[in-house]
Structures are given as structure tokens and as C-alpha cells.
Amino acid sequence: MQKGRILLSVTGFNPQRWHELLSASREVVLKPDGPEDPSITYAVVWKQPANILAKLPNLRAVFSIGAGVDHLFNDPGLPDVPIVRVVADNLTQHMVEYIVWRVMDHHRQGALFRNQQQKKIWREPPQRLAGDISVGIMGLGELGRAAASVLLGLGFRVNGWGRTDRPMAGVETYHGDAGLVPFLNATDILVVLLPLTPATKGIIDYGVLRQLRRRNGLGGTVLINAGRGRLQKDVDIVRALEDGTLKEASLDVFEVEPLPKTSPLWSHPKVFVTPHSGATSDPAHLAAPMLAQMDAFERGEALQNVVNREAGY
């Protein structure tokens, strides 16, 4: 298989570092030489312009810079070639750190103590045990399973839910439509790590939040979304916080990003906001594995972490 050029097509950030690292062993271009450029063999993309990949005759695979691939499926000109999602140890580590940080902050009553500090109140509330708290992870893929493993090690009870059954030692797993409500009923802190697909878009709505177990050692239920913003309905989260369905929420992703300055989530006293920074794609750790996959593919080896187009992830 002849070595071709890499098309690097990204929006939302400066591609310079990606270009520098990918250029270590291949020629990299930011634009094809026309819509039917025969020299392009691979594309490394993030929210690429629509149809830029549509007519490249020798395109063999598309690599997504981010963990999510829904941006690719939004492209009407997406060609029928393998799509490779990014998997890297440091990306997983960053996400696990974010999830554990937010679970522990809610568990150890961080919002209460920050409020007491602001008001100069010296009061020690009772502290519950981790084993009294059930963390439910929606999405038991690589990131979800890694987070579950660490939470189990800290003593939390962990539930997991996904579209299909994916058993995990120490985790009470549920799956499919029939398993969703039982999963929610057994969950105190809901962690959302689902991929965004037509089936999961808007899944975190008021009806789902109402099914969480509110009578628990936390004194209410908690939502943590570090997956994709369009999995949730922001207005329903605000409603749930206002009427007590939710005690607190940590949100790293939102329906519209950047989060509009007019959003009530910015100033809500029960919400912790981060700017989609739970696990950022670091080119220093991701470019080399991409290049290695390209080399292996050209030696006749199978691509790894290929997206299932039917499932959408």
C-alpha cells in the first residue's frame, strides 16, 4: 500500500502542534488539492468542514482527534471508510481523575463547606461512608470501566448501565430499556459517559432524573455529566435542581458550547461548571499511536478501536 498524505482538518483549536507531530513521518496538509485529491490516504479530523472528505478517492481511514465521533456522523459527505476513535492511557487517566474528583467532592460535601467558608461558619456535619453511596455509571465503555474500577477501590458501590450487557466484576450491571429504571432506582450519584447517538440524544431529561434514588445518605441525588452535552436537556436539569429532584450537579458538557453567558447554570448555587475540560486530547500522546496504526494498516494489520457505524460509537 502506497504511503499517502494525511489531511489534518480541525476546527475550534490551532492545529499547529498536531501538524508538527504528524509530520514526523508523513506529509500533512491542512487542505486537499481540490475535492478529489488522490494523494490523501488518511484524514485526522475534529469537526471538519462538511463534505471535505466526500470525494477523496484514495482515503483509507478517518481518525477522530476526540473521544467522541458524533461530529463525524453530522457530516453528510462522510465516506464509507473505517473510522478510528482515539484511545490513549492519558486520556483515560484524565477522565478517571475528573470523575473521581467530582464524585468525591459531592460525597465529602464540598458545596456545603464552600458555602460555610464564604459565611465563616465553623460546623462539622456528619460524614457518611463511601460504602453507603451508590455511583451509577451510564456507559461502561473503556472510560466508564476505568472509572468504575477506581471508585470500587475507594469503597463505593457501583452500578453500570449500557445499551448492551457488559458484565464487570464488582459492578451491578443493567442494560437496555428494561434495565434503565432499575438502574436509576439504585443510583445516588449518576455519572454520564455515554456516546452521543440518535438513541442517546437528550436521554438525561426530567423523567430520567426523577427515577434516581433520592432517599439516600447524600440527602439527595447528584448528576455528573462528562460525556457529551447533547445527551442532556439543560432546562430539565435546572428544573430538577429547583424542585429538589436533584441535590447537586457537576457539568463538564452542555447542549450549546461554549455555555451561553445567559445560561442559569453559570450562577446556580447547586451546579459546578467546567468548560468541557474533563479529558482533553493531547497531541503529544495521541499523534504517535495514530501514525503507528497507519503503518500497521499498510503492513496488512487490522485497525484498532474502529467505530461501529450501526451503533454510532
Side-chain angles (χ1 to χ4, degrees), residues 48 68-79 83 196-198 307-313:
Q48 74 281 359
V69 293
D70 47 284
H71 65 99
L72 276 161
F73 292 112
N74 290 332
D75 184 349
L78 181 65
I83 298 169
L196 179 62
T197 69
V307 172
N308 182 323
R309 284 177 176 257
E310 185 176 343
Y313 57 90

Side-chain angles (χ1 to χ4, degrees), residues 106 138 190 192 202-210 212 221-257 259 263-266 268-273:
H106 292 294
M138 294 184 81
L190 178 64
V192 183
I203 191 171
I204 307 302
D205 60 12
Y206 186 74
V208 158
L209 297 174
R210 288 284 296 176
L212 292 168
T221 56
V222 172
L223 169 66
I224 300 171
N225 188 2
R228 309 296 291 171
R230 286 185 291 161
L231 294 169
Q232 70 190 33
K233 295 182 178 179
D234 291 3
V235 66
D236 285 12
I237 293 174
V238 173
R239 177 186 175 190
L241 289 163
E242 291 298 314
D243 70 10
T245 296
L246 278 178
K247 178 190 176 190
E248 296 168 357
S250 286
L251 304 174
D252 188 50
V253 291
F254 305 89
E255 284 187 271
V256 176
E257 295 182 1
L259 182 63
S263 171
L265 293 170
W266 277 115
H268 201 290
K270 298 179 182 179
V271 178
F272 188 89
V273 170

Side-chain angles (χ1 to χ4, degrees), residues 30-191:
L30 299 179
K31 290 182 180 180
D33 297 334
E36 299 183 30
D37 185 347
S39 71
I40 303 296
T41 305
Y42 302 102
V44 175
V45 303
W46 178 253
K47 298 183 179 179
Q48 74 281 359
N51 298 309
I52 195 171
L53 308 175
K55 297 181 179 180
L56 300 174
N58 295 319
L59 184 67
R60 300 192 181 276
V62 176
F63 291 78
S64 174
I65 281 176
V69 293
D70 47 284
H71 65 99
L72 276 161
F73 292 112
N74 290 332
D75 184 349
L78 181 65
D80 187 18
V81 298
I83 298 169
V84 180
R85 58 186 176 82
V86 65
V87 174
D89 290 344
N90 81 306
L91 192 68
T92 301
Q93 177 68 19
H94 288 163
M95 182 59 79
V96 170
E97 289 173 357
Y98 180 87
I99 295 302
V100 173
W101 170 41
R102 299 318 309 146
V103 168
M104 289 300 299
D105 187 68
H106 292 294
H107 168 55
R108 293 303 302 258
Q109 306 180 73
L112 172 65
F113 287 119
R114 285 187 288 273
N115 183 59
Q116 287 190 179
Q117 179 179 348
Q118 187 178 34
K119 297 178 179 179
K120 302 178 182 178
I121 296 172
W122 185 275
R123 183 169 63 233
E124 181 182 0
Q127 180 58 50
R128 53 260 168 174
L129 298 173
D132 295 335
I133 308 302
S134 178
V135 181
I137 300 177
M138 294 184 81
L140 276 182
E142 180 163 345
L143 298 178
R145 296 172 90 81
S149 180
V150 175
L151 291 167
L152 286 170
L154 290 170
F156 291 96
R157 288 181 285 125
V158 180
N159 304 322
W161 179 87
R163 286 290 167 183
T164 59
D165 189 20
R166 295 200 64 187
M168 180 177 176
V171 176
E172 185 72 27
T173 56
Y174 305 79
H175 68 280
D177 293 340
L180 181 57
V181 171
F183 161 78
L184 295 167
N185 290 169
T187 292
D188 306 318
I189 299 177
L190 178 64
V191 175

